[in-house]
């Protein structure tokens, strides 16, 4: 490497005027190529990478909520109660969250594209195998749903860090918004595809056979289109210039990052609420319709439990997700000009506003189906406002060499205390409150247990309000000391390159 190249790499961090002039002269002699960014990935390829990652994220959430779209059929087929039904989501989330730190560790140190490719291939094969579970072996379905979490853990912890290494400032926020649009859209499509494919095939098993083929296409796109960006290079902090610490040192540093810790607990509340609603809302709406005489109950003589509730709830999830993520990003962007605490304040406002609407949606189900759908629409819109913002907060309060680990740790905590147990908890509480097996108590017990979601949403809003107290300090604290080849080392605030 020539002396000119060394100077070019380190000059942004100089505080010495003479050295800056020296770098300027070198840059004038050999200007860097404009067609490729410092990450080593061209603009066109970077954009294709974001869309491919978004496509895979959409598939992940489609598969995750396909089961919820056909849950009444699964209960009828295996003859299981609400507690066992809740285990389908719990075993998946448990494997997902426990493996997330492993893939976070690997993602900070090895080729991220290859890790994701292997994980997604495994996910596709296991999902396909789960559709052939025999009627007498419900435990096999539980096992395969747990193994699906392996593939998702390999992807969810790594993909946002690749986007962070491709874009900065407003572009990063926009690209993360596109990426997180896939969560509500994929979730909604999971309900829609699951219920409609099951109805068309007259067999719910076919609902689980849609995403595996699409997943294999995603692997081919990853291998032949996506290029691994250099960690931190887009922020003028290439990874070979940054001091890499051990995993235990990373955990210790993250535990002192109060913005990261508090926003993670806030996001845990979001996970608790979304996990509960994702699995139980279509079933709750179906039971409300049966109790009101608007739907026929499930019968052992029918192959499927006919209901349009999964289709309607899926459509609501898609629309509210798009509205929530978009409005959250736009409002946060406008407020950033007035206060540097805009991001946690928008997240807190979204959760606190969602709580009363979710409460009204649950208590009004017996009286008016239309009112219930309207309140669900409002509640989910406010709940979706924080998805992209929480991800962006993590990226600008954590240095690049710790981001995959931070993503993994956030996944573990939010799922361990959030949606890993909430679907099962709601099911167990519902079973314990049910006095008889009548249509009234099937509906009423689930209604009372779902009220817990509104109270958890309020608690989550409080955590985001607390995050606002520390966000400025931790944003500036995420600027590492960079030691140049020559000259004085300086601290560069992350806020200058991220927001």
């Amino acid at each position: 490497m020539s002396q000119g190249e060394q100077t070019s790499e380190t000059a942004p961090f100089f505080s010495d005027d003479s050295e800056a002039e020296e770098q300027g002269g070198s840059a004038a002699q050999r200007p860097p190529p404009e067609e490729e960014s410092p990450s080593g990935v061209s603009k066109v390829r970077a954009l294709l990478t974001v869309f491919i990652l978004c496509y895979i994220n959409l598939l992940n959430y489609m598969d995750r909520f396909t089961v919820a779209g056909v849950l009444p059929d699964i209960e009828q087929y295996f003859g299981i109660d609400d507690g066992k039904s809740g285990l389908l989501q719990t075993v998946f989330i448990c494997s997902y969250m426990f493996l997330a730190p492993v893939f976070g560790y690997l993602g900070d140190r090895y080729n991220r594209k290859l890790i994701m490719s292997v994980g997604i291939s495994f996910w596709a094969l296991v999902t396909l195998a789960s559709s052939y579970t025999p009627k007498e072996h419900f435990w096999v379905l539980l096992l395969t749903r747990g193994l699906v979490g392996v593939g998702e853990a390999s992807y969810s912890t790594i993909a946002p860090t690749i986007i962070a290494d491709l874009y900065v400032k407003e572009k990063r926020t926009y690209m993360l918004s596109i990426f997180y649009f896939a969560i509500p859209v994929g979730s909604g499509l999971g309900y829609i595809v699951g219920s409609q494919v099951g109805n068309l095939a007259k067999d719910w098993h076919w609902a689980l056979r849609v995403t595996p083929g699409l997943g294999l296409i995603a692997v081919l796109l990853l291998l032949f289109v996506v290029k691994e960006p250099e960690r931190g290079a887009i922020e003028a902090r290439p990874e070979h210039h940054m001091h890499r610490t051990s995993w235990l040192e990373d955990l210790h540093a993250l535990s002192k990052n109060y913005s990261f810790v508090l926003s993670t607990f806030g996001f845990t509340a979001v996970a608790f609420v979304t996990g509960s609603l994702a699995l139980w809302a279509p079933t709750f709406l179906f039971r409300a319709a049966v109790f009101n005489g608007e739907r026929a109950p499930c019968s052992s003589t029918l192959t499927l439990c006919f209901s349009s509730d999964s289709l309607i709830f899926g459509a609501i999830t898609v629309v509210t997700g798009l509205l929530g993520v978009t409005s959250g990003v736009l409002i946060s962007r406008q407020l950033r000009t007035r206060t540097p605490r805009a991001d946690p304040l928008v997240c807190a406002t979204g959760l606190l506003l969602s709580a009363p609407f979710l409460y009204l949606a649950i208590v009004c189900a017996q009286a008016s189906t239309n009112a219930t759908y309207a309140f669900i629409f409002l509640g989910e819109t406010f709940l979706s406002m924080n998805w992209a913002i929480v991800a962006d907060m993590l990226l600008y309060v954590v240095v690049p060499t710790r981001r995959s680990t931070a993503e993994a740790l956030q996944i573990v905590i939010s799922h361990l205390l959030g949606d890993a147990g909430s679907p099962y908890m709601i099911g167990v509480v519902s079973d314990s409150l049910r006095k008889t097996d009548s249509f009234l108590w099937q509906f009423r017990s689930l209604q009372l247990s779902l009220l817990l979601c509104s109270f958890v949403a309020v608690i989550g809003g409080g955590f985001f309000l607390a995050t606002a107290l520390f966000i400025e300090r931790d944003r500036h604290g995420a600027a590492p000391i960079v030691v140049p080849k020559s000259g004085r080392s300086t601290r560069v605030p992350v806020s200058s390159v991220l927001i």
Side-chain angles (χ1 to χ4, degrees):
M1 180 179 292
S2 68
Q3 180 64 34
E5 288 173 319
Q6 293 175 355
T7 307
S8 175
E9 290 172 351
T10 57
F13 303 102
F14 289 174
S15 57
D16 186 82
D17 294 336
S18 62
E19 291 169 346
E21 292 174 1
E22 178 186 346
Q23 188 274 337
S26 177
Q29 295 173 6
R30 291 194 306 110
E34 295 179 357
E35 67 275 5
E36 189 169 283
S37 72
S39 66
V41 181
S42 66
K43 292 182 179 180
V44 174
R45 205 164 190 177
L47 190 61
L48 288 174
T49 296
V50 171
F51 284 119
I52 291 171
L53 296 178
C54 185
Y55 166 69
I56 301 172
N57 204 29
L58 184 143
L59 289 183
N60 280 336
Y61 279 88
M62 273 185 63
D63 176 76
R64 186 183 298 191
F65 295 110
T66 296
V67 170
V70 293
L71 187 60
D73 304 297
I74 294 176
E75 287 186 327
Q76 179 67 23
Y77 182 81
F78 290 103
I80 55 178
D81 57 18
D82 288 348
K84 290 183 178 178
S85 297
L87 280 176
L88 287 170
Q89 187 77 349
T90 296
V91 294
F92 160 76
I93 295 297
C94 285
S95 66
Y96 172 63
M97 69 178 182
F98 284 125
L99 288 169
V102 176
F103 287 107
Y105 176 86
L106 297 175
D108 277 335
R109 289 157 177 84
Y110 303 104
N111 189 291
R112 293 171 286 186
K113 182 177 76 172
L114 295 180
I115 295 172
M116 290 191 295
S117 299
V118 172
I120 294 169
S121 300
F122 181 79
W123 156 74
L125 293 174
V126 172
T127 300
L128 181 63
S130 68
S131 68
Y132 294 96
T133 304
K135 187 175 184 178
E136 298 79 14
H137 301 288
F138 175 69
W139 66 269
V140 175
L141 182 61
L142 284 177
L143 176 63
T144 53
R145 292 307 296 174
L147 292 175
V148 166
V150 177
E152 290 212 24
S154 70
Y155 174 79
S156 298
T157 57
I158 295 174
T161 68
I162 292 181
I163 296 176
D165 288 331
L166 292 173
Y167 297 98
V168 293
K169 298 184 179 180
E170 288 83 4
K171 284 188 177 180
R172 174 183 288 174
T173 303
Y174 289 146
M175 293 304 171
L176 284 172
S177 300
I178 294 173
F179 179 76
Y180 284 102
F181 275 145
I183 295 179
V185 174
S187 302
L189 289 177
Y191 298 117
I192 296 171
V193 172
S195 60
Q196 296 309 300
V197 170
N199 286 332
L200 290 175
K202 305 300 180 185
D203 185 357
W204 66 267
H205 293 85
W206 282 96
L208 301 179
R209 296 168 187 168
V210 177
T211 53
L214 299 175
L216 294 179
I217 295 174
V219 172
L220 296 177
L221 291 173
L222 270 177
L223 292 175
F224 296 106
V225 179
V226 174
K227 182 180 179 181
E228 175 86 0
E230 187 177 1
R231 293 176 179 87
I234 194 70
E235 300 166 56
R237 293 181 295 176
E239 56 188 328
H240 58 272
H241 281 185
M242 293 184 292
H243 177 59
R244 189 179 298 280
T245 55
S246 69
W247 190 61
L248 290 178
E249 289 176 311
D250 290 346
L251 293 180
H252 178 73
L254 290 173
S255 68
K256 300 295 184 180
N257 190 325
Y258 294 145
S259 293
F260 169 74
V261 172
L262 292 169
S263 63
T264 296
F265 283 127
F267 192 66
T268 299
V270 177
F272 185 100
V273 176
T274 54
S276 301
L277 295 177
L279 186 69
W280 289 114
T283 300
F284 171 69
L285 294 169
F286 174 72
R287 292 182 183 180
V290 170
F291 175 69
N292 293 331
E294 300 172 4
R295 298 276 191 279
C298 291
S299 172
S300 58
T301 60
L302 297 177
T303 305
L304 293 172
C305 302
F306 175 76
S307 174
S308 60
D309 296 300
S310 292
L311 176 63
I312 298 173
F313 185 75
I316 290 176
T317 301
V318 171
V319 176
T320 57
L322 293 173
L323 288 175
V325 173
T326 303
S327 61
V329 169
L330 292 178
I331 294 172
S332 175
R333 180 186 173 190
Q334 293 297 319
L335 288 180
R336 282 178 181 181
T337 61
R338 300 183 180 183
T339 172
R341 301 173 179 177
D343 288 348
L345 291 178
V346 171
C347 291
T349 302
L351 267 178
L352 294 174
L353 288 176
S354 71
F357 289 113
L358 293 176
Y359 177 85
L360 291 172
I362 294 169
V363 299
C364 290
Q366 183 177 351
S368 173
T369 302
N370 292 332
T372 298
Y373 282 128
F375 288 130
I376 287 177
F377 184 93
L378 293 171
E380 285 207 327
T381 298
F382 289 119
L383 193 64
S384 301
M385 288 176 63
N386 61 70
W387 285 104
I389 300 176
V390 170
D392 202 19
M393 280 196 294
L394 181 146
L395 293 173
Y396 67 62
V397 299
V398 178
V399 295
T401 53
R402 292 179 180 142
R403 284 175 181 161
S404 289
T405 299
E407 292 277 358
L409 188 60
Q410 188 172 83
I411 286 174
V412 170
I413 295 174
S414 63
H415 291 307
L416 178 65
L417 303 178
D419 56 350
S422 64
Y424 178 67
M425 180 186 300
I426 296 296
V428 169
V429 172
S430 175
D431 287 338
S432 64
L433 293 175
R434 189 181 306 170
K435 297 181 179 180
T436 66
D437 204 31
S438 64
F439 296 142
L440 169 62
W441 279 105
Q442 287 181 5
F443 161 72
R444 185 72 71 198
S445 60
L446 187 56
Q447 180 187 45
L448 294 174
S449 60
L450 284 173
L451 290 176
L452 183 63
C453 295
S454 296
F455 298 102
V456 173
V458 174
I459 295 173
F463 279 117
F464 280 120
L465 288 176
T467 304
L469 301 176
F470 302 97
I471 194 72
E472 290 183 85
R473 184 200 69 180
D474 293 328
R475 180 191 287 122
H476 292 286
I481 295 293
V482 180
V483 182
K485 300 288 192 304
S486 62
R488 296 195 298 270
S489 63
T490 59
R491 182 180 294 271
V492 180
V494 169
S495 58
S496 67
V497 293
L498 291 187
I499 62 172

